[in-house]
């Protein structure tokens, strides 16, 4: 399959003119940008979270949290709700991950044991439903231990991807301590989901008091982490590395991909290495991302259950209509890109 390229305004105008001409000849229905049927569109949500049984530990339950976060954590721990949501939202498959910040280490637990405990529990949860796939939770900041656990999670547990934090303490994902994990993922052909994290120093400095403000802080960290990957030389050293980011990192896409505020080949690097999720299913954001990177770099991902909502299938189709995506672009975003990236069997 030849990946689609970023769509320019000129190309869209040309396509519109071409379809207008075909309509005169009676061929518009066959070549319409909108699919004849949406019922057959496969939906794969790669950005979803769960807390397998036993991982919602007392230290987390006793921590001071915004009410919204406490509710989200409760939904993450509802394994039956996870399975029920697949049917309710029209989702065919979900790739789930466990946020490390939601599962604190137990007293005396090493980084290796902490990762192993989480990934074992995640694999057990995925075994309960063939529609669920696990993305290995890796503490990339643990050096070689992260790479070793990733290899174990793939070889022994069948993990289909690598889930890491965009930052930890005063380190970003581009830090040298993370290189073994990135090298292992590149060697294994696994995508690395660089996930937004909360930044406590921002919360303290600015007295963050709402869920909205907290997510703005997470967006700032996510964008800074992506910029650090662009500027650190990681992509030069690991040309086959595939990175997934949340749409929270759109600021880095704009500054690096449009305004040349980093290295001059930033946009080419983004188009080669970066995939972006669809959190929010906002048509202007989807169109913006596709115009910078190409539709083959957009992957359906909702951050469920942080952002839930009604039928995912219906919401995606509505956003795709508004963003004027072709039938092939819809197929790629809804499932094709995830199948290719995570190497999912039919």
């Amino acid at each position: 399959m030849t990946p689609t390229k970023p769509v320019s305004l000129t190309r869209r105008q040309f396509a519109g003119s071409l379809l207008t001409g075909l309509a005169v000849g009676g061929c518009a229905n066959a070549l319409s940008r909108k699919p004849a049927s949406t019922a057959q569109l496969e939906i794969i949500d790669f950005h979803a979270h769960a807390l397998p049984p036993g991982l919602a530990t007392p230290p987390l339950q006793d921590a001071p949290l915004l009410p919204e976060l406490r509710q989200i954590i409760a939904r993450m721990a509802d394994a039956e709700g996870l399975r029920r949501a697949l049917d309710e939202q029209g989702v065919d498959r979900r790739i789930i991950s466990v946020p490390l910040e939601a599962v604190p280490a137990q007293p005396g637990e090493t980084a290796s044991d902490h990762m192993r405990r989480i990934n074992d529990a995640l694999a057990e949860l995925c075994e309960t439903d063939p529609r669920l796939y696990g993305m290995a939770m890796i503490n990339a900041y643990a050096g070689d231990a992260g790479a070793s656990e990733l290899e174990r999670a793939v070889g022994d547990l069948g993990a289909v991807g690598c889930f890491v934090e965009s930052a930890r303490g005063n380190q970003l994902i581009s830090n040298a301590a993370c290189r073994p994990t990135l090298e292992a993922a590149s060697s294994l052909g696994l995508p690395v989901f660089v996930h937004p994290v909360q930044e406590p120093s921002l919360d303290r400095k600015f007295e963050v008091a709402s869920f909205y403000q907290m997510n703005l802080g997470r967006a700032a960290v996510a964008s800074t982490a992506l910029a650090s990957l662009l500027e650190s030389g990681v992509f030069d050293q690991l040309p086959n590395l595939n990175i997934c980011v949340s749409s929270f990192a759109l600021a880095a896409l704009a500054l690096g991909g449009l305004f040349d505020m980093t290295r001059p080949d930033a946009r080419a690097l983004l188009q080669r290495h970066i995939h972006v999720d669809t959190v929010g299913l906002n048509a202007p954001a989807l169109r913006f991302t596709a115009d910078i990177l190409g539709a083959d770099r957009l992957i359906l991902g909702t951050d469920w259950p942080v952002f839930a909502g009604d039928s995912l299938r219906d919401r995606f189709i509505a956003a795709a209509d508004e963003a004027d995506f072709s039938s092939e672009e819809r197929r790629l975003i809804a499932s094709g890109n995830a199948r290719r990236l995570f190497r999912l069997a039919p």
Side-chain angles (χ1 to χ4, degrees):
M1 179 195 314
T2 302
T4 59
K5 298 298 183 184
V7 181
S8 68
L9 183 60
T10 301
R11 284 184 56 193
R12 288 203 298 273
Q13 290 174 330
F14 174 77
S17 299
L18 177 62
L19 288 179
T20 300
L22 290 171
V24 174
C27 300
N29 289 336
L31 295 177
S32 171
R33 292 182 61 82
K34 296 182 181 180
S37 172
T38 57
Q40 301 303 316
L41 189 66
E42 183 185 32
I43 300 292
I44 299 177
D45 181 5
F46 98 97
H47 184 176
H49 301 303
L51 283 176
L55 291 187
T57 58
L60 180 64
Q61 295 169 356
D62 296 338
L65 298 172
L66 291 173
E68 294 92 338
L69 280 181
R70 196 169 293 282
Q71 294 171 4
I72 289 167
I73 290 169
R75 290 198 294 268
M76 285 185 188
D78 181 4
E80 182 54 38
L82 166 66
R83 290 186 285 268
R84 187 171 59 248
L86 293 168
D87 296 322
E88 294 174 348
Q89 294 192 317
V91 177
D92 295 294
R93 305 185 186 197
R94 251 186 178 129
I95 300 173
I96 56 176
S97 51
V98 179
L100 187 61
E101 57 189 330
V103 186
Q106 295 177 345
E109 189 174 43
T110 66
S112 296
D113 289 341
H114 188 201
M115 289 184 282
R116 180 181 289 267
R117 176 167 62 91
I118 292 174
N119 289 323
D120 285 348
L122 180 60
E124 290 179 6
L125 176 60
C126 290
E127 288 176 357
T128 66
D129 195 309
R131 297 171 294 177
L132 299 177
Y133 298 81
M135 197 182 306
M137 196 298 304
I138 300 298
N139 179 358
Y141 303 86
D144 291 336
S148 296
E149 175 57 18
L150 179 58
E151 292 168 354
R152 184 191 78 91
V154 173
D156 295 349
L157 306 177
V160 298
C162 175
F163 180 89
V164 302
E165 296 175 308
S166 54
R168 170 167 280 215
N170 63 352
Q171 298 177 326
L172 292 166
I173 188 60
S174 58
N175 189 276
C178 302
R179 196 59 57 88
T181 293
L182 298 181
E183 290 174 349
S186 179
S187 177
L188 292 167
L190 289 182
V192 179
F193 187 14
V194 180
H195 193 264
V197 294
Q198 191 170 354
E199 177 43 58
S201 65
L202 289 177
D203 297 350
R204 292 190 296 268
K205 182 175 182 179
F206 298 109
E207 298 182 353
V208 170
S210 73
F211 189 57
Y212 171 58
Q213 294 176 20
M214 184 201 75
N215 278 310
L216 287 178
R218 294 169 77 90
V221 175
S223 293
T224 304
L226 177 52
S228 77
L229 287 171
L230 282 172
E231 296 174 328
S232 65
V234 168
F235 295 146
D236 300 300
Q237 298 163 18
L238 300 174
N240 297 318
L241 181 64
N242 280 302
I243 296 289
C244 300
V245 298
S246 169
S247 54
F248 276 29
L250 284 184
L253 286 181
L255 295 178
L258 295 180
F259 298 113
D260 295 329
M261 294 188 70
T262 181
R263 48 190 288 177
D265 60 346
R267 186 169 184 177
L269 288 174
L270 289 169
Q271 291 171 352
R272 189 177 81 190
H273 292 277
I274 303 301
H275 295 75
V276 183
D277 73 14
T278 63
V279 167
L281 286 171
N282 178 278
L286 299 182
R287 185 73 266 168
F288 171 78
T289 305
D291 284 346
I292 293 179
L293 301 183
D296 60 326
R297 294 282 155 171
L298 263 173
I299 312 180
L300 190 61
T302 63
D303 201 4
W304 185 93
V306 180
F307 302 103
D310 298 324
S311 171
L312 173 56
R313 180 180 300 275
D314 292 344
R315 286 184 290 133
F316 171 69
I317 291 169
D321 285 345
E322 185 179 347
D324 195 27
F325 285 129
S326 69
S327 295
E328 176 61 9
E329 288 171 331
R330 294 163 193 252
R331 185 194 66 79
L332 287 173
I333 298 168
S335 62
N337 293 332
R339 279 193 171 281
R340 166 181 53 80
L341 191 61
F342 292 93
R343 298 183 296 186
L344 302 182

